[in-house]
């Protein structure tokens, strides 16, 4: 199980790097509204925390 942890993490980071552009994300947040952006950022942080916690076991 440990042999698959690094490639999976690396692939996830590469995917996130290419799929999310910071300028596009910030622009979309401000177009949608501050509260929507705040909720979206909160949900993203919770999702990332959940994923990291599951990877650590």
């Amino acid at each position: 199980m440990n042999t698959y942890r690094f490639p999976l993490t690396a692939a996830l980071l590469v995917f996130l790097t290419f799929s999310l552009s910071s300028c596009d994300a910030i622009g979309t947040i401000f177009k949608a509204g501050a509260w929507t952006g705040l909720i979206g950022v909160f949900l993203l942080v919770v999702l990332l925390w959940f994923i990291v916690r599951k990877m650590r076991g």
Side-chain angles (χ1 to χ4, degrees):
M1 198 82 166
N2 288 337
T3 58
Y4 294 110
R5 187 171 289 173
F6 178 72
L8 179 64
T9 305
L12 181 63
L13 289 175
V14 169
F15 174 73
L16 287 175
T17 301
F18 286 117
S19 66
L20 294 175
S21 172
S22 61
C23 292
D24 289 337
I26 299 271
T28 303
I29 287 171
F30 281 115
K31 283 181 186 176
W35 282 108
T36 306
L38 188 63
I39 292 169
V41 169
F42 175 75
L43 291 175
L44 182 65
V45 168
V46 169
L47 178 66
L48 289 175
W49 174 77
F50 179 75
I51 291 171
V52 168
R53 188 166 173 169
K54 286 292 184 182
M55 285 181 150
R56 288 188 179 179

